[in-house]
Amino acid sequence: MTSVLDLAPVVPVVVIDDAADAVPLARALVAGGLPAIEVTLRTPAALDAVRAIADEVPDAVVGAGTVISPRGVADAVASGARFLVSPGWTDALLDAMASSGVPFLPGVSTTSEVVGLLERGVSEMKFFPAEAAGGTPYLKSLAGPLPQARFCPTGGISLATAPSYLALPNVGCVGGTWMLPPDALAARDWARVESLAREAASLG
């Protein structure tokens, strides 16, 4: 698979409470130009949602986010996840992700964590929580000493702030939720989701 960082300028970060919403939601995002979809493992419906998208939305590249244990890695891949995202990493979690057979973005928020991943041969990572951890100034400052590291910043990013992240040389894409407003999801207003996704996709 192409690097997760190169699939689209924005990766929607999706929390799904009802697995029945997974397929129409994914179809709306794909139709809007956002094929890479991160389904967070924060709800009981998450793995069923990943499985449904993998089975029924062939143009989607569905991944699992909030992966925080080796068991979570195994469950996500068994459900059809094509990439993995974690908010942080430990040696055990990194070993599990590295042996999963799918691309992965371990989470970092400090320079030492970035160096630790580079030491392990990992150069693509999630920067989280992006805004709280220093935002674009922090990432810009990392580009000088650590140019080989590439990031998907996630956490507090909006349509207004995404372009400043995407303009950085060490940012491949951003993760966000702004194209998934709670009221639209509650109303199952997939047309609105598609429209917001198209707006986000145009940032690339």
Side-chain angles (χ1 to χ4, degrees):
M1 186 180 80
T2 304
S3 165
V4 177
L5 298 183
D6 297 327
L7 290 171
V10 180
V11 176
V13 180
V14 182
V15 180
I16 295 181
D17 293 307
D18 184 348
D21 291 337
V23 168
L25 174 57
R27 285 176 175 156
L29 292 170
V30 170
L34 300 181
I37 301 168
E38 176 188 334
V39 177
T40 63
L41 302 186
R42 301 181 195 176
T43 68
L47 290 173
D48 286 337
V50 170
R51 188 176 296 109
I53 295 170
D55 288 345
E56 299 182 46
V57 191
D59 292 332
V61 180
V62 64
T66 322
V67 177
I68 56 172
S69 69
R71 174 63 185 271
V73 170
D75 288 346
V77 173
S79 298
R82 294 174 59 188
F83 65 91
L84 305 169
V85 184
S86 69
W89 66 276
T90 64
D91 286 328
L93 178 58
L94 191 66
D95 288 343
M97 290 193 294
S99 62
S100 68
V102 301
F104 57 94
L105 296 174
V108 297
S109 60
T110 69
T111 306
S112 294
E113 290 168 336
V114 176
V115 172
L117 286 178
L118 293 173
E119 191 176 79
R120 293 285 300 269
V122 178
S123 61
E124 297 187 344
M125 48 200 84
K126 171 179 178 172
F127 178 58
F128 176 83
E131 287 287 283
T136 53
Y138 191 95
L139 286 173
K140 188 174 183 179
S141 70
L142 290 182
L146 302 170
Q148 64 272 55
R150 294 182 73 216
F151 301 95
C152 174
T154 305
I157 297 174
S158 67
L159 178 65
T161 59
S164 62
Y165 282 95
L166 292 168
L168 296 175
N170 55 351
V171 169
C173 64
V174 300
T177 61
W178 73 85
M179 74 299 299
L180 302 161
D183 58 337
L185 299 185
R188 294 177 169 81
D189 187 351
W190 310 128
R192 183 176 171 206
V193 171
E194 179 180 340
S195 176
L196 292 170
R198 184 169 292 107
E199 185 180 37
S202 71
L203 297 175

PDB file of all heavy atoms in Angstrom, residues 6 28 43-44 47 56 74 76 81 84-85 91 94-95 103 105 112 115 118 147 154 157-158 160 173 177 196-197:
ATOM      1  N   ASP A   6       0.397   9.474   2.421  1.00  0.00           N
ATOM      2  CA  ASP A   6       0.234   9.967   1.054  1.00  0.00           C
ATOM      3  C   ASP A   6      -1.116   9.628   0.427  1.00  0.00           C
ATOM      4  O   ASP A   6      -1.340   9.893  -0.751  1.00  0.00           O
ATOM      5  CB  ASP A   6       1.355   9.408   0.171  1.00  0.00           C
ATOM      6  CG  ASP A   6       2.730   9.870   0.621  1.00  0.00           C
ATOM      7  OD1 ASP A   6       2.833  11.010   1.117  1.00  0.00           O
ATOM      8  OD2 ASP A   6       3.689   9.091   0.503  1.00  0.00           O
ATOM      9  N   ALA A  28     -19.735   8.062   2.186  1.00  0.00           N
ATOM     10  CA  ALA A  28     -19.800   9.521   2.080  1.00  0.00           C
ATOM     11  C   ALA A  28     -18.398  10.125   2.096  1.00  0.00           C
ATOM     12  O   ALA A  28     -18.091  11.038   1.315  1.00  0.00           O
ATOM     13  CB  ALA A  28     -20.638  10.093   3.219  1.00  0.00           C
ATOM     14  N   THR A  43     -15.120   2.335  20.988  1.00  0.00           N
ATOM     15  CA  THR A  43     -16.498   1.928  21.248  1.00  0.00           C
ATOM     16  C   THR A  43     -16.635   0.428  20.990  1.00  0.00           C
ATOM     17  O   THR A  43     -15.847  -0.165  20.245  1.00  0.00           O
ATOM     18  CB  THR A  43     -17.481   2.667  20.319  1.00  0.00           C
ATOM     19  OG1 THR A  43     -17.280   2.215  18.965  1.00  0.00           O
ATOM     20  CG2 THR A  43     -17.292   4.176  20.387  1.00  0.00           C
ATOM     21  N   PRO A  44     -17.653  -0.195  21.591  1.00  0.00           N
ATOM     22  CA  PRO A  44     -17.871  -1.619  21.350  1.00  0.00           C
ATOM     23  C   PRO A  44     -18.155  -1.944  19.889  1.00  0.00           C
ATOM     24  O   PRO A  44     -17.942  -3.080  19.456  1.00  0.00           O
ATOM     25  CB  PRO A  44     -19.088  -1.941  22.232  1.00  0.00           C
ATOM     26  CG  PRO A  44     -19.073  -0.894  23.306  1.00  0.00           C
ATOM     27  CD  PRO A  44     -18.557   0.341  22.635  1.00  0.00           C
ATOM     28  N   LEU A  47     -14.802  -2.555  16.043  1.00  0.00           N
ATOM     29  CA  LEU A  47     -14.259  -3.642  15.218  1.00  0.00           C
ATOM     30  C   LEU A  47     -15.276  -4.103  14.176  1.00  0.00           C
ATOM     31  O   LEU A  47     -14.909  -4.409  13.030  1.00  0.00           O
ATOM     32  CB  LEU A  47     -13.815  -4.807  16.097  1.00  0.00           C
ATOM     33  CG  LEU A  47     -12.567  -4.538  16.945  1.00  0.00           C
ATOM     34  CD1 LEU A  47     -12.320  -5.697  17.909  1.00  0.00           C
ATOM     35  CD2 LEU A  47     -11.337  -4.301  16.073  1.00  0.00           C
ATOM     36  N   GLU A  56     -17.462  -3.939   2.569  1.00  0.00           N
ATOM     37  CA  GLU A  56     -18.505  -3.369   1.714  1.00  0.00           C
ATOM     38  C   GLU A  56     -18.143  -2.056   1.021  1.00  0.00           C
ATOM     39  O   GLU A  56     -18.911  -1.589   0.174  1.00  0.00           O
ATOM     40  CB  GLU A  56     -19.780  -3.160   2.543  1.00  0.00           C
ATOM     41  CG  GLU A  56     -20.348  -4.462   3.122  1.00  0.00           C
ATOM     42  CD  GLU A  56     -21.633  -4.231   3.887  1.00  0.00           C
ATOM     43  OE1 GLU A  56     -22.504  -3.508   3.363  1.00  0.00           O
ATOM     44  OE2 GLU A  56     -21.747  -4.758   5.013  1.00  0.00           O
ATOM     45  N   ALA A  74      -3.888  -7.196  16.980  1.00  0.00           N
ATOM     46  CA  ALA A  74      -4.361  -8.455  16.406  1.00  0.00           C
ATOM     47  C   ALA A  74      -5.833  -8.377  16.036  1.00  0.00           C
ATOM     48  O   ALA A  74      -6.244  -8.818  14.949  1.00  0.00           O
ATOM     49  CB  ALA A  74      -4.120  -9.598  17.385  1.00  0.00           C
ATOM     50  N   ALA A  76      -7.627  -5.694  15.364  1.00  0.00           N
ATOM     51  CA  ALA A  76      -7.856  -4.748  14.268  1.00  0.00           C
ATOM     52  C   ALA A  76      -7.507  -5.381  12.924  1.00  0.00           C
ATOM     53  O   ALA A  76      -8.270  -5.272  11.960  1.00  0.00           O
ATOM     54  CB  ALA A  76      -7.032  -3.478  14.491  1.00  0.00           C
ATOM     55  N   ALA A  81      -8.499  -4.170   9.169  1.00  0.00           N
ATOM     56  CA  ALA A  81      -7.809  -2.879   9.160  1.00  0.00           C
ATOM     57  C   ALA A  81      -6.588  -2.949   8.251  1.00  0.00           C
ATOM     58  O   ALA A  81      -5.795  -3.886   8.329  1.00  0.00           O
ATOM     59  CB  ALA A  81      -7.394  -2.485  10.569  1.00  0.00           C
ATOM     60  N   LEU A  84      -2.715   0.921  11.002  1.00  0.00           N
ATOM     61  CA  LEU A  84      -2.913   1.057  12.442  1.00  0.00           C
ATOM     62  C   LEU A  84      -2.371   2.403  12.909  1.00  0.00           C
ATOM     63  O   LEU A  84      -1.352   2.876  12.404  1.00  0.00           O
ATOM     64  CB  LEU A  84      -2.187  -0.063  13.191  1.00  0.00           C
ATOM     65  CG  LEU A  84      -2.512  -1.498  12.782  1.00  0.00           C
ATOM     66  CD1 LEU A  84      -1.521  -2.463  13.425  1.00  0.00           C
ATOM     67  CD2 LEU A  84      -3.937  -1.851  13.176  1.00  0.00           C
ATOM     68  N   VAL A  85      -3.056   3.001  13.878  1.00  0.00           N
ATOM     69  CA  VAL A  85      -2.622   4.272  14.442  1.00  0.00           C
ATOM     70  C   VAL A  85      -2.715   4.178  15.962  1.00  0.00           C
ATOM     71  O   VAL A  85      -3.722   3.697  16.497  1.00  0.00           O
ATOM     72  CB  VAL A  85      -3.505   5.444  13.954  1.00  0.00           C
ATOM     73  CG1 VAL A  85      -2.955   6.772  14.480  1.00  0.00           C
ATOM     74  CG2 VAL A  85      -3.586   5.471  12.433  1.00  0.00           C
ATOM     75  N   ASP A  91       7.579  -0.405  23.616  1.00  0.00           N
ATOM     76  CA  ASP A  91       8.298  -1.414  22.842  1.00  0.00           C
ATOM     77  C   ASP A  91       7.387  -2.571  22.467  1.00  0.00           C
ATOM     78  O   ASP A  91       7.422  -3.067  21.336  1.00  0.00           O
ATOM     79  CB  ASP A  91       9.503  -1.927  23.625  1.00  0.00           C
ATOM     80  CG  ASP A  91      10.642  -0.914  23.657  1.00  0.00           C
ATOM     81  OD1 ASP A  91      10.789  -0.156  22.672  1.00  0.00           O
ATOM     82  OD2 ASP A  91      11.378  -0.881  24.660  1.00  0.00           O
ATOM     83  N   LEU A  94       4.961  -1.433  19.753  1.00  0.00           N
ATOM     84  CA  LEU A  94       5.670  -1.224  18.493  1.00  0.00           C
ATOM     85  C   LEU A  94       6.034  -2.566  17.849  1.00  0.00           C
ATOM     86  O   LEU A  94       5.889  -2.742  16.641  1.00  0.00           O
ATOM     87  CB  LEU A  94       6.920  -0.389  18.727  1.00  0.00           C
ATOM     88  CG  LEU A  94       7.611   0.135  17.469  1.00  0.00           C
ATOM     89  CD1 LEU A  94       6.715   1.133  16.746  1.00  0.00           C
ATOM     90  CD2 LEU A  94       8.944   0.779  17.826  1.00  0.00           C
ATOM     91  N   ASP A  95       6.475  -3.522  18.658  1.00  0.00           N
ATOM     92  CA  ASP A  95       6.793  -4.847  18.127  1.00  0.00           C
ATOM     93  C   ASP A  95       5.565  -5.485  17.486  1.00  0.00           C
ATOM     94  O   ASP A  95       5.645  -6.085  16.408  1.00  0.00           O
ATOM     95  CB  ASP A  95       7.316  -5.757  19.240  1.00  0.00           C
ATOM     96  CG  ASP A  95       8.720  -5.392  19.698  1.00  0.00           C
ATOM     97  OD1 ASP A  95       9.416  -4.656  18.969  1.00  0.00           O
ATOM     98  OD2 ASP A  95       9.109  -5.828  20.801  1.00  0.00           O
ATOM     99  N   PRO A 103       0.801  -1.232   7.403  1.00  0.00           N
ATOM    100  CA  PRO A 103       1.473   0.009   7.810  1.00  0.00           C
ATOM    101  C   PRO A 103       0.917   0.527   9.135  1.00  0.00           C
ATOM    102  O   PRO A 103      -0.234   0.257   9.492  1.00  0.00           O
ATOM    103  CB  PRO A 103       1.141   0.978   6.674  1.00  0.00           C
ATOM    104  CG  PRO A 103       0.748   0.120   5.521  1.00  0.00           C
ATOM    105  CD  PRO A 103       0.113  -1.091   6.111  1.00  0.00           C
ATOM    106  N   LEU A 105       1.210   3.937  12.218  1.00  0.00           N
ATOM    107  CA  LEU A 105       1.660   5.258  12.637  1.00  0.00           C
ATOM    108  C   LEU A 105       1.659   5.312  14.163  1.00  0.00           C
ATOM    109  O   LEU A 105       0.622   5.552  14.778  1.00  0.00           O
ATOM    110  CB  LEU A 105       0.752   6.361  12.080  1.00  0.00           C
ATOM    111  CG  LEU A 105       0.692   6.527  10.566  1.00  0.00           C
ATOM    112  CD1 LEU A 105      -0.370   7.567  10.205  1.00  0.00           C
ATOM    113  CD2 LEU A 105       2.046   6.936  10.000  1.00  0.00           C
ATOM    114  N   SER A 112      12.268  13.037  22.072  1.00  0.00           N
ATOM    115  CA  SER A 112      12.866  11.750  22.443  1.00  0.00           C
ATOM    116  C   SER A 112      12.082  10.574  21.874  1.00  0.00           C
ATOM    117  O   SER A 112      12.669   9.566  21.456  1.00  0.00           O
ATOM    118  CB  SER A 112      12.948  11.630  23.971  1.00  0.00           C
ATOM    119  OG  SER A 112      13.856  12.577  24.497  1.00  0.00           O
ATOM    120  N   VAL A 115      13.016  10.310  18.210  1.00  0.00           N
ATOM    121  CA  VAL A 115      14.338   9.708  18.063  1.00  0.00           C
ATOM    122  C   VAL A 115      14.276   8.210  18.359  1.00  0.00           C
ATOM    123  O   VAL A 115      14.920   7.399  17.678  1.00  0.00           O
ATOM    124  CB  VAL A 115      15.358  10.412  18.987  1.00  0.00           C
ATOM    125  CG1 VAL A 115      16.692   9.673  18.986  1.00  0.00           C
ATOM    126  CG2 VAL A 115      15.561  11.856  18.548  1.00  0.00           C
ATOM    127  N   LEU A 118      12.921   6.524  15.270  1.00  0.00           N
ATOM    128  CA  LEU A 118      13.926   6.515  14.211  1.00  0.00           C
ATOM    129  C   LEU A 118      14.990   5.453  14.497  1.00  0.00           C
ATOM    130  O   LEU A 118      15.461   4.759  13.591  1.00  0.00           O
ATOM    131  CB  LEU A 118      14.570   7.893  14.078  1.00  0.00           C
ATOM    132  CG  LEU A 118      13.661   9.015  13.565  1.00  0.00           C
ATOM    133  CD1 LEU A 118      14.385  10.362  13.647  1.00  0.00           C
ATOM    134  CD2 LEU A 118      13.199   8.759  12.134  1.00  0.00           C
ATOM    135  N   PRO A 147      15.003  15.630   9.866  1.00  0.00           N
ATOM    136  CA  PRO A 147      14.268  15.766   8.606  1.00  0.00           C
ATOM    137  C   PRO A 147      13.723  14.451   8.077  1.00  0.00           C
ATOM    138  O   PRO A 147      12.825  14.445   7.239  1.00  0.00           O
ATOM    139  CB  PRO A 147      15.329  16.339   7.649  1.00  0.00           C
ATOM    140  CG  PRO A 147      16.631  15.849   8.199  1.00  0.00           C
ATOM    141  CD  PRO A 147      16.449  15.881   9.691  1.00  0.00           C
ATOM    142  N   THR A 154      -2.497  15.056  14.618  1.00  0.00           N
ATOM    143  CA  THR A 154      -3.910  14.833  14.936  1.00  0.00           C
ATOM    144  C   THR A 154      -4.175  15.372  16.338  1.00  0.00           C
ATOM    145  O   THR A 154      -3.341  15.204  17.223  1.00  0.00           O
ATOM    146  CB  THR A 154      -4.257  13.326  14.897  1.00  0.00           C
ATOM    147  OG1 THR A 154      -3.889  12.781  13.646  1.00  0.00           O
ATOM    148  CG2 THR A 154      -5.732  13.094  15.123  1.00  0.00           C
ATOM    149  N   ILE A 157      -7.064  19.849  15.389  1.00  0.00           N
ATOM    150  CA  ILE A 157      -6.870  20.499  14.101  1.00  0.00           C
ATOM    151  C   ILE A 157      -8.224  20.759  13.440  1.00  0.00           C
ATOM    152  O   ILE A 157      -9.123  19.916  13.513  1.00  0.00           O
ATOM    153  CB  ILE A 157      -5.966  19.636  13.198  1.00  0.00           C
ATOM    154  CG1 ILE A 157      -4.582  19.503  13.840  1.00  0.00           C
ATOM    155  CG2 ILE A 157      -5.837  20.249  11.806  1.00  0.00           C
ATOM    156  CD1 ILE A 157      -3.659  18.555  13.112  1.00  0.00           C
ATOM    157  N   SER A 158      -8.341  21.903  12.797  1.00  0.00           N
ATOM    158  CA  SER A 158      -9.598  22.314  12.164  1.00  0.00           C
ATOM    159  C   SER A 158      -9.364  22.622  10.691  1.00  0.00           C
ATOM    160  O   SER A 158      -8.226  22.637  10.208  1.00  0.00           O
ATOM    161  CB  SER A 158     -10.146  23.567  12.848  1.00  0.00           C
ATOM    162  OG  SER A 158      -9.284  24.677  12.612  1.00  0.00           O
ATOM    163  N   ALA A 160      -9.569  25.422   9.432  1.00  0.00           N
ATOM    164  CA  ALA A 160      -8.812  26.682   9.381  1.00  0.00           C
ATOM    165  C   ALA A 160      -7.325  26.472   9.634  1.00  0.00           C
ATOM    166  O   ALA A 160      -6.488  27.173   9.049  1.00  0.00           O
ATOM    167  CB  ALA A 160      -9.375  27.664  10.397  1.00  0.00           C
ATOM    168  N   CYS A 173       0.091  14.396   6.037  1.00  0.00           N
ATOM    169  CA  CYS A 173      -1.363  14.562   6.105  1.00  0.00           C
ATOM    170  C   CYS A 173      -1.708  14.960   7.521  1.00  0.00           C
ATOM    171  O   CYS A 173      -0.836  14.960   8.392  1.00  0.00           O
ATOM    172  CB  CYS A 173      -2.088  13.259   5.715  1.00  0.00           C
ATOM    173  SG  CYS A 173      -1.779  11.872   6.845  1.00  0.00           S
ATOM    174  N   THR A 177     -11.529  15.630  12.778  1.00  0.00           N
ATOM    175  CA  THR A 177     -12.920  15.220  12.958  1.00  0.00           C
ATOM    176  C   THR A 177     -13.899  16.281  12.474  1.00  0.00           C
ATOM    177  O   THR A 177     -15.110  16.088  12.566  1.00  0.00           O
ATOM    178  CB  THR A 177     -13.216  14.945  14.446  1.00  0.00           C
ATOM    179  OG1 THR A 177     -12.992  16.154  15.199  1.00  0.00           O
ATOM    180  CG2 THR A 177     -12.327  13.840  15.003  1.00  0.00           C
ATOM    181  N   LEU A 196     -18.554  18.132   3.402  1.00  0.00           N
ATOM    182  CA  LEU A 196     -17.459  18.560   4.268  1.00  0.00           C
ATOM    183  C   LEU A 196     -16.174  17.797   3.938  1.00  0.00           C
ATOM    184  O   LEU A 196     -15.064  18.349   4.005  1.00  0.00           O
ATOM    185  CB  LEU A 196     -17.830  18.359   5.731  1.00  0.00           C
ATOM    186  CG  LEU A 196     -18.946  19.283   6.250  1.00  0.00           C
ATOM    187  CD1 LEU A 196     -19.410  18.831   7.630  1.00  0.00           C
ATOM    188  CD2 LEU A 196     -18.465  20.726   6.299  1.00  0.00           C
ATOM    189  N   ALA A 197     -16.324  16.532   3.568  1.00  0.00           N
ATOM    190  CA  ALA A 197     -15.159  15.741   3.169  1.00  0.00           C
ATOM    191  C   ALA A 197     -14.542  16.305   1.899  1.00  0.00           C
ATOM    192  O   ALA A 197     -13.310  16.400   1.770  1.00  0.00           O
ATOM    193  CB  ALA A 197     -15.558  14.282   2.963  1.00  0.00           C
TER     194      ALA A 197
END
